[in-house]
Each structure stands twice: as C-alpha cells, then as structure tokens.
Amino acid sequence: MNKKIAIVGAGDFQLPLVQEASKDNEVVLIAPVIDERFEPYIQERCLIDVRDQEAALAFCQEQKIDGIITDQTDISVRTVAYVAEKIGLPGIGYEKGLLFTDKSRMREEMMKAGIPCLPNRTVENMEDAVAFFKQHQNKPIIIKPLDSQGSRGIYSCHSEDEIREHYHESEKFSSTGEVIVEKLATGKEFFVEGMAYDGKFQNLIIGDTHYFNIENAYAAESRRTPSMESPELVQRVLQRNREIIEAFGLKQGISHSEFIVDDDEIYLLETAARGGGVYISSDLISLRTGINVEKFLVNIALGEQSGMPEIQESRKFCGYKAFYVPFGKVKKVSGVEAVENLPYVHRTQLMNLKEGMIVPVEKLNKTNRLALIVEASSQEEWLERVQFIENTLHVESEHDGVVRDLVWE
C-alpha cells in the first residue's frame, strides 16, 4: 500500500523531490503557489505560506500523512521539523530546525563547541550595528538578516553611512527584526554537501564558489565540484564541516554548508539542514557520488531508510552556471532548445525564460537568477562548454529604449 508524504515548497528546486516521491507514494504539497508542472505528481495541495506551522500541521493531520520533507529551501525547514515532531514522524526535531535556520544560534553553538567564528553580534537596531562597526576600528562589516534566504538583505558596509543606508533594508528580511553584523571576510569560498543517517555523518562533495561581479548581489554565478584548491586545504574545510554538523547534532538528512578562508582560518558563513539549492542536492551530488538524494530524503521521511548510502565517486567535473535576465521587457529569446538538447546539460531553469516576461528594476539576489547544470570531464572542458552556452543562449530585454542581453558574470 502506498504511503502518503507531504512535501513543503513548490519552487523549481523542489520539483525533483516531488517527482521522486510520487513514484511509489501519494504526494500532498504545501506551498503558497503551485504551478502546472507539479500537477501530474500530487494528490492534494495546501496553499499557505510555508512558514505557517499551525496551518501546515492541521493540513497534515487531516491528510493522515506518513512523512514530511523538504529540500533546497531554508524557509520550509522549521515547518517540516515542527510538523514531524508534533505528529511523531521521523525528523530532525524542532530545536534543530531553529538552529539550522538562525545565524545567531549557529554562531552561539559553534562558540560552545570551541569552533572559531568571525567577530559578530546580533543587533536589534541600527545604532548597535554602528557601535559594532566602531568597536572594530571601522573595518568593513557585512550585515545579514537573521533568518532570510536567497541572499536577500545582505550588504557589505565599509562606512557608517553605508550601514545607515542599508540597515533597514536588511532588517525587513528578518522574521524577528534582528540582524547579524559580522566582520567582512575575504578569501576563497567553498560549499560542502553532507549526509546524516541514524546520528552518523559523512561529507559528500566539496566545491568552489564563484560570484557575480555585481555590487551587493551576493549571488554565485557558478558553484563547481570537485574543488580546484589544494588537497590540504580541501581536507581542512571538510574536517571543519564535520566538526560543525556533528556539534549541531544533525541526526538525519542532508546538509549544505558555505565556508570562507580568511587569514588561513576557515570560517562558516552558514549551514543548513537541507541540500544545496540550484540543483546542487538533486543533481551535483548524484553526478559526483551516484547517490539518489531525493530517494534518500523520501526514505528517511517515511522511516524506510536502512543505512547510509554507498558513495560511488565519479571523475566528473560539474557545476551550475547561473545568469541574470536584465531588467525590462524581454522581446526575444533564442537558443533555449539548442542548449537544452546539449548532452552535457542536465536540469535547467530555462523554462522560465520567455518572450514577454517583465523583469522589474530591483536589487539583485539569488532568487532573481536562472541556472543550468553542466557536466564535463575537467574544469577546462566545463569552462569551454559554458562559453558555448553563453554564445548560444540570448535575449533582447528592453528598458527605456536600451536593449540588453543576459548577464553571465
């Protein structure tokens, strides 16, 4: 008899999980908006803000679900943990859900475990942010909402004036109104994906992060694995990730962590009890390890996982390549079908690139990007393939009489 599983979130990056879960189970979906792509895979829906824990609980009790899960989104993690705990289903526990979605709690937990943190403070008003800046000799800081996602409300500030300019914008993306102010670190950045089962943890993949050259966008133009940095540094980052996840006590599921190396010390930027977005969880992990992450997540949610999956490491070099559609009205799109038919291009968001779409003038963040997964045998070949894609895929987006093409860097 099929079991019934609730999945929270219905964006592009949750579709792979819904598709996998529907193969052997009945899927009920919780999200504010559910588009037609999900229709073939779901039996029931609940159209609510995914942060509404009580409404999600009531729906799941009514549906008599056997499990609940999410992936590739932070804002659903607390709700999943809350519902699972209240109904008595497998989950990470609500306190862990809070820990993995609250930057202040993360840093407090690391300090308890003796893990180095960048100088930081949680503040409730702009004057305290300014005071932190002055206390640290007016050195650049970064301000972040306590629990946002998609890099919304993150700003680097090099002066008191910049703090005053950006503070309230950052504050509005925090559910509590609190903001983290932290030393601005500069250096190599990594992402690490890990897996926990029955209280045991293993690292899965590590890669390098490359950012857009756009002020205050704070979004990666690509994340590529395996890392091209030295084996010694890679092992240090992997060990730091293990220390943190084990200190946090993640007993099951996937983890996504981001690190920066500053003055030869490895610092956590953030970690999450879900897989990396932009298809890192659904595609990059499987391309590198052979593990079906969606199947693993479904199995643990339903209490059907029997052990840690075996890694079958490949020699593939892979990553996502992202781009921005310039603001304005898109008059023309070309090259979509040609790119989607390339044998080395895997999952994409190109279905969202349409003639007639309006891209509003606004500050950029991760949620404004579109991306695709590209596979190769080496970094050099990956870069060549990405260049071919850039030469093939084009738009004409017009604003105030000026026509612009896609932004790749």
Side-chain angles (χ1 to χ4, degrees), residues 74-75 103 148-154 217-219 270 274 324 364-369:
D74 278 326
I75 60 174
K103 296 177 178 66
S148 180
Q149 74 168 10
S151 296
R152 297 188 187 103
I154 296 180
Y218 286 105
E270 60 181 55
R274 47 85 179 169
Y324 283 106
L364 300 176
N365 59 63
K366 290 179 183 177
T367 60
N368 301 116
R369 298 173 301 169

Side-chain angles (χ1 to χ4, degrees), residues 325-330 356-361 397-400 404:
V325 184
F327 56 81
K329 183 175 182 179
V330 176
M357 67 185 292
I358 305 293
V359 181
V361 179
S397 182
E398 184 178 354
H399 179 74
D400 286 344
R404 297 177 177 85

Side-chain angles (χ1 to χ4, degrees), residues 206 230-243 259 261 263-266:
I206 181 170
S230 71
E232 184 270 337
L233 180 55
V234 165
Q235 287 305 311
R236 287 176 57 207
V237 175
L238 290 171
Q239 180 57 34
R240 178 54 46 85
N241 189 58
R242 175 179 292 279
E243 290 171 2
F259 294 93
V261 180
D263 292 334
D264 201 41
E265 183 58 84
I266 298 164

Side-chain angles (χ1 to χ4, degrees), residues 34-50:
I34 299 173
D35 69 38
E36 61 185 12
R37 293 173 298 161
F38 290 86
E39 295 295 338
Y41 309 107
I42 64 175
Q43 277 65 51
E44 298 289 342
R45 73 197 65 220
C46 180
L47 300 177
I48 60 170
D49 185 326
V50 297

Side-chain angles (χ1 to χ4, degrees), residues 196-214:
Y197 174 72
D198 195 24
K200 297 179 177 143
F201 176 78
Q202 65 178 6
N203 289 308
L204 296 176
I205 64 172
I206 181 170
D208 303 319
T209 299
H210 302 267
Y211 284 96
F212 282 97
N213 187 26
I214 302 173

Side-chain angles (χ1 to χ4, degrees), residues 195-197 201-205 254 285-293 295-296 299 305-314:
M195 173 177 282
Y197 174 72
F201 176 78
Q202 65 178 6
N203 289 308
L204 296 176
I205 64 172
I254 299 292
I285 292 176
S286 64
L287 285 169
R288 284 288 298 161
T289 70
I291 294 173
N292 185 330
V293 172
K295 187 173 181 60
F296 170 76
N299 285 347
Q305 187 68 26
S306 59
M308 190 78 84
E310 182 180 348
I311 294 176
Q312 297 177 338
E313 189 168 349
S314 78

Side-chain angles (χ1 to χ4, degrees), residues 147-163:
D147 55 1
S148 180
Q149 74 168 10
S151 296
R152 297 188 187 103
I154 296 180
Y155 296 96
S156 58
C157 300
H158 296 74
S159 68
E160 180 178 336
D161 287 343
E162 289 186 349
I163 296 172

Side-chain angles (χ1 to χ4, degrees), residues 132-252:
F132 175 87
F133 175 72
K134 291 180 177 178
Q135 180 185 347
H136 289 83
Q137 292 79 48
N138 295 350
K139 292 181 179 178
I141 65 169
I142 190 164
I143 58 176
K144 311 175 185 179
L146 205 62
D147 55 1
S148 180
Q149 74 168 10
S151 296
R152 297 188 187 103
I154 296 180
Y155 296 96
S156 58
C157 300
H158 296 74
S159 68
E160 180 178 336
D161 287 343
E162 289 186 349
I163 296 172
R164 295 188 182 280
E165 177 185 355
H166 296 304
Y167 183 86
H168 291 304
E169 183 71 17
S170 182
E171 179 185 45
K172 79 178 186 180
F173 287 106
S174 173
S175 65
T176 65
E178 295 176 298
V179 171
I180 286 276
V181 291
E182 189 170 63
K183 175 190 172 184
L184 178 65
T186 56
K188 298 179 179 70
E189 291 196 29
F190 299 85
F191 69 97
V192 182
E193 308 300 304
M195 173 177 282
Y197 174 72
D198 195 24
K200 297 179 177 143
F201 176 78
Q202 65 178 6
N203 289 308
L204 296 176
I205 64 172
I206 181 170
D208 303 319
T209 299
H210 302 267
Y211 284 96
F212 282 97
N213 187 26
I214 302 173
E215 185 178 4
N216 281 322
Y218 286 105
E221 53 88 358
S222 64
R223 282 196 162 114
R224 315 169 194 171
T225 181
S227 173
M228 292 290 99
E229 298 300 330
S230 71
E232 184 270 337
L233 180 55
V234 165
Q235 287 305 311
R236 287 176 57 207
V237 175
L238 290 171
Q239 180 57 34
R240 178 54 46 85
N241 189 58
R242 175 179 292 279
E243 290 171 2
I244 291 170
I245 303 302
E246 290 182 347
F248 285 12
L250 183 65
K251 61 183 179 181
Q252 66 175 41

